[in-house]
């Protein structure tokens, strides 16, 4: 900040205050220190909050002679926590960081116009730290959810076959009791990670004026379209995997007087599941093909429309009608 020397001291006018871009206070170090401080405080709170119950449980399991059970549980929870947190952080933060790099050149000017010169520059300089903090916070949340599935993981890893197979898919009964719950968790974790990541990426593209709305995606920059198409390919591929796993749930359906797959389940709902799995897999391939061939949304849109049609007609209307008949 300086005074303009080009003024007459005899004039009654006040000197003009000039603020150059070099004089604007840069805030990333302050924001970074604040996030680090909050992270340390949060980590200290978790340590104090958990260390006393853990120590009490450790003593109790030692007294009854099952301390190895306690250590196995803690080690499994720790492994799942860090695995889930790191996986979520890698997917989420790398994508939002890439979305930030794809922001148009006039984003800085847009922020200054909307929030003023100083606040716009502050937001521009600190948004990277904000995204890092959001990614770290959500990663802790994701890690805790993963740690809660420790029992499913141990059952999945040390499962024992029953030597009895189901008559529909030919799987051992132990697969449904010990392995399927953890596979369902893995799918849910991956799917919702991609949903949150895609929503955050679209929000950043919208805030950065890379796109004005979803209808503006076909006319967006090539890098933006390619990024969105890659995420849509991952989402639809994960959806196909989810429908493939959902066919096993037919054996657990409540059908009034009995539990299991009924006539409509085996004749119509199972076919609908296979059809939707294929349509979503083809939609994922269409998204990947669109990345290399002009980044058009035509075929991915057709694929999503075909899947929605199959979901409504084949998956709901036809089975319900045939069940009534």
């Amino acid at each position: 900040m300086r005074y303009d020397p080009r003024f007459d001291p005899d004039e009654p006018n006040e000197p003009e205050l000039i603020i150059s871009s070099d004089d604007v206070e840069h805030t990333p170090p302050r924001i970074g220190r604040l996030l680090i401080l909050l992270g340390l405080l949060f980590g200290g709170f978790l340590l104090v909050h958990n260390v006393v119950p853990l120590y009490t449980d450790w003593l109790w399991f030692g007294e009854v002679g099952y301390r190895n059970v306690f250590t196995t549980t803690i080690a499994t929870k720790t492994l799942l926590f860090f695995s889930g947190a790191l996986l979520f952080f890698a997917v989420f933060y790398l994508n939002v960081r890439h979305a930030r790099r794809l922001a148009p050149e006039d984003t800085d000017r847009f922020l200054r116009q909307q929030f003023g010169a100083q606040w716009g520059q502050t937001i521009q300089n600190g948004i990277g730290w904000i995204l890092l903090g959001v990614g770290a916070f959500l990663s802790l949340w994701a890690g805790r959810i993963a740690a809660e599935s420790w029992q499913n993981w141990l059952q999945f890893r040390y499962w024992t076959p029953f030597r009895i197979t189901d008559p529909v898919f030919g799987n051992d009964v132990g697969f449904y009791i010990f392995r399927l719950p953890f596979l369902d968790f893995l799918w849910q974790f991956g799917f919702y990670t991609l949903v949150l990541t895609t929503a955050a990426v679209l929000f950043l593209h919208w805030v950065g004026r890379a796109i004005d709305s979803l209808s503006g995606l076909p006319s967006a920059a090539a890098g933006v379209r390619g990024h969105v198409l890659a995420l849509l390919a991952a989402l639809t591929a994960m959806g196909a995997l989810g429908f493939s796993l959902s066919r096993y749930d037919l054996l657990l359906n409540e059908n009034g007087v009995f539990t299991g797959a009924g006539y409509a389940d085996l004749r119509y709902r199972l076919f609908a599941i296979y059809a939707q799995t294929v349509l979503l897999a083809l939609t994922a391939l269409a998204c990947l093909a669109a990345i290399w061939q002009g980044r058009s949304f035509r075929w991915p849109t057709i694929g999503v429309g075909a899947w929605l049609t199959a979901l409504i007609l084949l998956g709901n209307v036809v089975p319900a009608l045939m069940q009534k008949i």
Side-chain angles (χ1 to χ4, degrees), residues 1-319:
M1 184 181 301
R2 67 181 187 277
Y3 292 108
D4 189 354
R6 297 170 299 174
F7 73 95
D8 188 356
D10 297 331
E11 291 289 335
N13 297 329
E14 294 292 333
E16 182 181 0
L17 188 63
I18 299 177
I19 301 177
S20 65
S21 60
D22 297 333
D23 297 323
V24 177
E25 184 180 5
H26 295 283
T27 59
R30 291 187 177 182
I31 295 178
R33 287 195 295 267
L34 178 61
L35 291 176
I36 293 174
L37 178 61
L38 291 176
L40 291 176
L41 291 176
F42 184 68
F45 168 77
L46 291 179
L47 180 64
V48 174
H49 184 267
N50 292 301
V51 69
V52 174
L54 286 176
Y55 181 67
T56 304
D57 291 341
W58 184 76
L59 292 177
W60 185 88
F61 275 95
E63 288 294 326
V64 298
Y66 287 97
R67 186 163 288 169
N68 61 328
V69 175
F70 175 76
T71 55
T72 300
T73 302
I74 295 302
T76 305
K77 288 182 177 181
T78 303
L79 174 64
L80 291 176
F81 175 84
F82 284 103
S83 299
L86 291 175
L87 177 62
F88 182 91
F89 183 81
V91 175
F92 182 86
Y93 182 69
L94 292 179
N95 276 280
V96 296
R97 185 179 179 183
H98 183 61
R100 186 60 190 157
R101 289 179 176 177
L102 294 175
E105 297 180 356
D106 61 345
T107 301
D108 299 347
R109 183 176 57 189
F110 172 74
L111 292 175
R112 288 193 295 268
Q113 291 175 351
Q114 295 295 320
F115 302 100
Q118 187 172 1
W119 278 104
Q121 187 68 28
T122 299
I123 295 174
Q124 176 65 23
N125 293 334
I127 193 169
W129 291 96
I130 295 173
L131 294 176
L132 179 62
V134 171
F137 175 79
L138 293 178
S139 297
L140 294 176
W141 167 75
R144 181 166 183 173
I145 291 178
E148 292 176 354
S149 297
W150 65 273
Q151 190 172 4
N152 289 336
W153 161 246
L154 290 177
Q155 290 176 346
F156 177 87
R157 183 176 180 183
Y158 300 106
W159 81 295
T160 301
F162 279 59
R163 309 300 179 187
I164 302 174
T165 58
D166 74 88
V168 178
F169 301 109
N171 294 320
D172 189 274
V173 174
F175 168 80
Y176 300 98
I177 297 177
F178 298 121
R179 294 207 144 184
L180 186 59
F182 188 72
L183 292 177
D184 287 335
F185 162 74
L186 285 180
W187 176 82
Q188 291 178 13
F189 186 89
F191 180 76
Y192 288 111
T193 296
L194 289 173
V195 168
L196 285 175
T197 301
T198 304
V201 166
L202 290 175
F203 176 76
L204 287 176
H205 286 320
W206 175 72
V207 171
R209 303 192 71 185
I211 56 173
D212 295 328
S213 63
L214 292 179
S215 60
L217 277 174
S219 59
V224 174
R225 282 179 289 167
H227 191 195
V228 173
L229 282 169
L231 289 173
L232 289 178
L235 269 175
T236 51
M238 190 64 69
L241 179 60
F243 274 102
S244 179
L245 287 174
S246 69
R247 72 184 187 271
Y248 300 126
D249 295 333
L250 295 178
L251 303 182
L252 307 176
N253 278 351
E254 294 290 341
N255 284 294
V257 296
F258 68 93
T259 299
Y263 177 85
D265 294 327
L266 296 179
R267 297 298 187 277
Y268 299 99
R269 288 193 176 92
L270 185 58
F271 172 77
I273 288 174
Y274 287 139
Q276 292 176 81
T277 301
V278 172
L279 288 173
L280 286 175
L282 291 176
T283 303
L285 293 177
C287 291
L288 294 177
I291 295 176
W292 302 105
Q293 298 179 358
R295 298 177 174 83
S296 172
F297 284 81
R298 177 183 177 185
W299 287 109
T301 303
I302 293 175
V304 172
W307 166 71
L308 288 175
T309 303
L311 175 66
I312 296 173
L313 295 180
L314 297 180
N316 293 278
V317 175
V318 173

